[in-house]
Amino acid sequence: MPPKAISFKANSIVYFKGDKGESVYILQKGQVSLNYLDIQTGQEMHDYVQTGEFFGVKAAFGKYPHDETAVVMVNSTVIQFTVDDFEQLLSSNSRIIMKMLKVFSNQLRRIHKQVRSLMSVDEQVDAEKGLYSVGEYYFNNKKHLQAADAFNRYLIYYPAGRYVDEVRRKIEYAESRKDSIESGPSAPVAAPRVEYTMEKALALRDKGNYVEALKAFIILSKSNPDQKILTDFEAGICVFRLKKGNETIKHFTDILKRNPAHSRMGEALYYIGKSYLMLDDKEKAKSFLNKSSSLLDEGCPEQRDAVLLLEQLGGS
């Protein structure tokens, strides 16, 4: 189908949010507004398309639904292209490529601003309680060396914190157990150190042994810098599977702060959203799930689950 000019009257809709993106449009004359909801405030936002600019490209090339509604503000004319026709146009017109870069640059700035906004929300996570919980985790699992280390770090960072008395008591106990393990004749023989590989760690995760898998990913992260991005991400999934909502949020937030252009950002936001749901914070859950569903590949399990959860929460 060759490109065709389509006339729209004021207040017409070129496409709705959620419509499947199959065409690219160039505004020939008039004015078009791309309307979408701010993922944090829920307020409707407007990006105005200038004459000669195109829109609908991201969804058409990505083969997923539009994440905004294109509203015609005054009587307008747009040129509709198929993806193939638009690619041919690009190959022969460098000015179109420059306009494309400009539009994508604006959209990337918008996404970056939204993600930064989301990240600033997460800074409200209680870091003190998080560090205390780490010590608790090791203490309850009789990992006294690690528990003492975590609790001593707590005292360094929070010398007048809420859990100081409890932490001091547990340090004393953990230290006493640590000494008996190191020097006691009846202490159990330490198990030989397990050599982990990525394949073993993933196998542990797939078997549902999230505690051991988490341990494996942490060791691999420290011992294999080249695999740190992957192992840190997989460790976060294990933390989520262990139903530790606050720790999951902090874990993935730290990852995205270190890697603002992380290739699995949609998945990270999905786990953050699910964690907020776990913590019964439905508004934050909706914000993150809504953003993740727009970044994840259409039809992947996480995207389908995010869409389903959003419907259960009353829509995006």
Side-chain angles (χ1 to χ4, degrees):
M1 181 178 67
K4 62 179 181 180
I6 305 176
S7 296
F8 290 90
K9 292 185 177 180
N11 300 318
S12 299
I13 302 296
V14 181
Y15 56 76
F16 286 96
K17 176 184 177 182
D19 286 351
K20 187 175 181 180
E22 297 179 328
S23 301
V24 178
Y25 303 91
I26 293 181
L27 179 62
Q28 187 178 55
K29 66 177 182 180
Q31 188 175 46
V32 170
S33 173
L34 304 180
N35 298 348
Y36 59 95
L37 295 180
D38 185 280
I39 58 177
Q40 184 178 11
T41 66
Q43 293 181 333
E44 189 170 74
M45 308 297 288
H46 308 272
D47 281 350
Y48 294 105
V49 181
Q50 303 299 318
T51 302
E53 287 187 346
F54 51 82
F55 56 101
V57 179
K58 190 172 56 173
F61 277 77
K63 300 184 185 302
Y64 53 77
H66 293 287
D67 56 10
E68 76 280 332
T69 297
V71 181
V72 178
M73 306 302 292
V74 298
N75 292 347
S76 304
T77 301
V78 302
I79 309 297
Q80 182 183 30
F81 293 78
T82 65
V83 172
D84 289 341
D85 287 337
F86 192 70
E87 286 180 342
Q88 289 184 12
L89 179 66
L90 289 178
S91 66
S92 60
N93 195 324
S94 59
R95 290 181 60 191
I96 293 293
I97 294 176
M98 293 305 296
K99 284 182 177 290
M100 188 178 202
L101 291 173
K102 180 181 177 182
V103 170
F104 280 160
S105 176
N106 290 335
Q107 291 178 345
L108 285 172
R109 276 199 296 271
R110 190 181 85 198
I111 292 172
H112 181 63
K113 181 180 178 181
Q114 291 172 336
V115 171
R116 285 189 62 183
S117 177
L118 287 171
M119 293 304 101
S120 67
V121 170
D122 289 331
E123 288 177 0
Q124 298 172 11
V125 171
D126 190 337
E128 179 189 356
K129 187 175 180 180
L131 183 54
Y132 173 76
S133 298
V134 172
E136 278 281 277
Y137 168 78
Y138 286 120
F139 188 84
N140 292 333
N141 286 280
K142 303 186 186 308
K143 305 290 185 183
H144 299 108
L145 288 170
Q146 295 88 341
D149 181 61
F151 285 138
N152 277 310
R153 287 177 183 274
Y154 176 93
L155 292 180
I156 293 173
Y157 290 113
Y158 306 102
R162 288 169 287 170
Y163 308 102
V164 165
D165 293 340
E166 183 73 6
V167 164
R168 292 188 188 282
R169 184 180 66 78
K170 290 183 174 177
I171 287 176
E172 184 177 353
Y173 179 83
E175 292 283 355
S176 68
R177 294 298 300 159
K178 180 187 71 174
D179 292 340
S180 67
I181 290 172
E182 291 176 345
S183 60
S186 60
V189 177
R193 182 173 180 176
V194 177
E195 294 297 333
Y196 290 112
T197 64
M198 180 60 72
E199 290 74 17
K200 288 182 179 179
L202 292 172
L204 287 166
R205 186 203 63 186
D206 293 341
K207 290 178 181 178
N209 189 348
Y210 302 120
V211 172
E212 197 65 22
L214 174 60
K215 179 180 176 183
F217 285 126
I218 291 174
I219 291 173
L220 287 170
S221 175
K222 294 178 179 177
S223 60
N224 296 281
D226 292 342
Q227 294 183 320
K228 182 173 176 57
I229 292 179
L230 174 59
T231 51
D232 282 353
F233 200 94
E234 296 298 336
I237 295 177
C238 291
V239 175
F240 171 78
R241 297 297 181 196
L242 290 168
K243 302 186 184 304
K244 296 179 180 295
N246 280 323
E247 290 181 36
T248 303
I249 293 168
K250 185 176 186 312
H251 186 95
F252 281 112
T253 298
D254 289 343
I255 286 177
L256 295 182
K257 284 181 177 177
R258 293 196 305 270
N259 302 280
H262 200 290
S263 61
R264 299 171 71 179
M265 178 180 290
E267 200 176 344
L269 296 178
Y270 165 78
Y271 284 112
I272 292 175
K274 293 265 289 186
S275 296
Y276 274 121
L277 200 57
M278 190 187 304
L279 298 170
D280 203 29
D281 191 334
K282 296 180 181 177
E283 288 304 313
K284 288 183 180 177
K286 285 177 64 175
S287 293
F288 281 91
L289 290 172
N290 190 39
K291 188 59 186 174
S292 72
S293 69
S294 69
L295 296 176
L296 289 164
D297 291 337
E298 185 181 8
C300 74
E302 291 81 7
Q303 195 267 348
R304 292 201 304 270
D305 189 41
V307 171
L308 179 62
L309 290 170
L310 284 168
E311 291 176 354
Q312 294 172 350
L313 290 168
S316 59

